[in-house]
PDB file of all heavy atoms in Angstrom:
ATOM      1  N   THR B 189       3.340 -16.860  -9.481  1.00 97.00           N
ATOM      2  CA  THR B 189       3.496 -18.261  -9.899  1.00 97.00           C
ATOM      3  C   THR B 189       2.519 -18.522 -11.038  1.00 97.00           C
ATOM      4  O   THR B 189       1.756 -17.620 -11.418  1.00 97.00           O
ATOM      5  CB  THR B 189       3.205 -19.213  -8.712  1.00 97.00           C
ATOM      6  OG1 THR B 189       3.583 -20.534  -9.042  1.00 97.00           O
ATOM      7  CG2 THR B 189       1.747 -19.199  -8.305  1.00 97.00           C
ATOM      8  N   SER B 193      -0.160 -23.898 -10.867  1.00 98.00           N
ATOM      9  CA  SER B 193       0.538 -24.189  -9.593  1.00 98.00           C
ATOM     10  C   SER B 193      -0.262 -23.651  -8.425  1.00 98.00           C
ATOM     11  O   SER B 193      -0.382 -24.309  -7.409  1.00 98.00           O
ATOM     12  CB  SER B 193       1.922 -23.531  -9.617  1.00 98.00           C
ATOM     13  OG  SER B 193       2.707 -24.041 -10.680  1.00 98.00           O
ATOM     14  N   ARG B 196      -3.238 -25.893  -7.749  1.00 98.00           N
ATOM     15  CA  ARG B 196      -2.721 -27.115  -7.121  1.00 98.00           C
ATOM     16  C   ARG B 196      -2.478 -26.920  -5.603  1.00 98.00           C
ATOM     17  O   ARG B 196      -2.859 -27.752  -4.788  1.00 98.00           O
ATOM     18  CB  ARG B 196      -1.438 -27.545  -7.749  1.00 98.00           C
ATOM     19  CG  ARG B 196      -1.524 -28.731  -8.650  1.00 98.00           C
ATOM     20  CD  ARG B 196      -0.155 -29.048  -9.208  1.00 98.00           C
ATOM     21  NE  ARG B 196      -0.014 -28.569 -10.571  1.00 98.00           N
ATOM     22  CZ  ARG B 196      -0.481 -29.231 -11.630  1.00 98.00           C
ATOM     23  NH1 ARG B 196      -1.081 -30.389 -11.475  1.00 98.00           N
ATOM     24  NH2 ARG B 196      -0.327 -28.776 -12.857  1.00 98.00           N
TER      25      ARG B 196
ATOM     26  P    DT D  17       8.445 -23.724  -5.143  1.00 78.15           P
ATOM     27  OP1  DT D  17       8.937 -22.358  -4.857  1.00 78.15           O
ATOM     28  OP2  DT D  17       7.330 -24.313  -4.407  1.00 78.15           O
ATOM     29  O5'  DT D  17       8.104 -23.782  -6.677  1.00 78.15           O
ATOM     30  C5'  DT D  17       9.048 -23.237  -7.623  1.00 78.15           C
ATOM     31  C4'  DT D  17       8.637 -23.553  -9.025  1.00 78.15           C
ATOM     32  O4'  DT D  17       8.712 -24.978  -9.260  1.00 78.15           O
ATOM     33  C3'  DT D  17       7.193 -23.177  -9.346  1.00 78.15           C
ATOM     34  O3'  DT D  17       7.288 -22.017 -10.196  1.00 78.15           O
ATOM     35  C2'  DT D  17       6.634 -24.386 -10.115  1.00 78.15           C
ATOM     36  C1'  DT D  17       7.868 -25.230 -10.367  1.00 78.15           C
ATOM     37  N1   DT D  17       7.663 -26.699 -10.412  1.00 78.15           N
ATOM     38  C2   DT D  17       8.047 -27.384 -11.558  1.00 78.15           C
ATOM     39  O2   DT D  17       8.501 -26.825 -12.531  1.00 78.15           O
ATOM     40  N3   DT D  17       7.818 -28.737 -11.505  1.00 78.15           N
ATOM     41  C4   DT D  17       7.275 -29.449 -10.458  1.00 78.15           C
ATOM     42  O4   DT D  17       7.112 -30.682 -10.547  1.00 78.15           O
ATOM     43  C5   DT D  17       6.922 -28.696  -9.308  1.00 78.15           C
ATOM     44  C7   DT D  17       6.326 -29.375  -8.097  1.00 78.15           C
ATOM     45  C6   DT D  17       7.107 -27.378  -9.318  1.00 78.15           C
ATOM     46  P    DA D  18       6.088 -21.545 -11.100  1.00 78.15           P
ATOM     47  OP1  DA D  18       6.309 -20.109 -11.335  1.00 78.15           O
ATOM     48  OP2  DA D  18       4.808 -22.026 -10.575  1.00 78.15           O
ATOM     49  O5'  DA D  18       6.370 -22.303 -12.484  1.00 78.15           O
ATOM     50  C5'  DA D  18       7.612 -22.079 -13.137  1.00 78.15           C
ATOM     51  C4'  DA D  18       7.576 -22.616 -14.532  1.00 78.15           C
ATOM     52  O4'  DA D  18       7.472 -24.065 -14.530  1.00 78.15           O
ATOM     53  C3'  DA D  18       6.443 -22.117 -15.395  1.00 78.15           C
ATOM     54  O3'  DA D  18       6.930 -21.866 -16.693  1.00 78.15           O
ATOM     55  C2'  DA D  18       5.406 -23.269 -15.343  1.00 78.15           C
ATOM     56  C1'  DA D  18       6.272 -24.492 -15.191  1.00 78.15           C
ATOM     57  N9   DA D  18       5.714 -25.567 -14.356  1.00 78.15           N
ATOM     58  C8   DA D  18       5.213 -25.425 -13.091  1.00 78.15           C
ATOM     59  N7   DA D  18       4.806 -26.572 -12.553  1.00 78.15           N
ATOM     60  C5   DA D  18       5.079 -27.498 -13.555  1.00 78.15           C
ATOM     61  C6   DA D  18       4.888 -28.894 -13.614  1.00 78.15           C
ATOM     62  N6   DA D  18       4.351 -29.616 -12.634  1.00 78.15           N
ATOM     63  N1   DA D  18       5.243 -29.521 -14.748  1.00 78.15           N
ATOM     64  C2   DA D  18       5.815 -28.802 -15.741  1.00 78.15           C
ATOM     65  N3   DA D  18       6.040 -27.490 -15.803  1.00 78.15           N
ATOM     66  C4   DA D  18       5.634 -26.899 -14.659  1.00 78.15           C
ATOM     67  P    DT D  19       5.979 -21.322 -17.859  1.00 78.15           P
ATOM     68  OP1  DT D  19       6.873 -20.543 -18.781  1.00 78.15           O
ATOM     69  OP2  DT D  19       4.771 -20.743 -17.274  1.00 78.15           O
ATOM     70  O5'  DT D  19       5.557 -22.650 -18.630  1.00 78.15           O
ATOM     71  C5'  DT D  19       6.565 -23.519 -19.121  1.00 78.15           C
ATOM     72  C4'  DT D  19       5.908 -24.734 -19.723  1.00 78.15           C
ATOM     73  O4'  DT D  19       5.377 -25.594 -18.700  1.00 78.15           O
ATOM     74  C3'  DT D  19       4.740 -24.423 -20.670  1.00 78.15           C
ATOM     75  O3'  DT D  19       5.039 -25.031 -21.906  1.00 78.15           O
ATOM     76  C2'  DT D  19       3.531 -25.034 -19.969  1.00 78.15           C
ATOM     77  C1'  DT D  19       4.185 -26.147 -19.145  1.00 78.15           C
ATOM     78  N1   DT D  19       3.477 -26.620 -17.939  1.00 78.15           N
ATOM     79  C2   DT D  19       3.312 -27.977 -17.752  1.00 78.15           C
ATOM     80  O2   DT D  19       3.670 -28.803 -18.610  1.00 78.15           O
ATOM     81  N3   DT D  19       2.686 -28.339 -16.611  1.00 78.15           N
ATOM     82  C4   DT D  19       2.231 -27.495 -15.602  1.00 78.15           C
ATOM     83  O4   DT D  19       1.693 -27.945 -14.608  1.00 78.15           O
ATOM     84  C5   DT D  19       2.433 -26.104 -15.832  1.00 78.15           C
ATOM     85  C7   DT D  19       2.009 -25.124 -14.827  1.00 78.15           C
ATOM     86  C6   DT D  19       3.063 -25.735 -16.974  1.00 78.15           C
TER      87       DT D  19
END
Side-chain angles (χ1 to χ4, degrees):
Chain B
T189 191
S193 300
R196 254 181 258 279

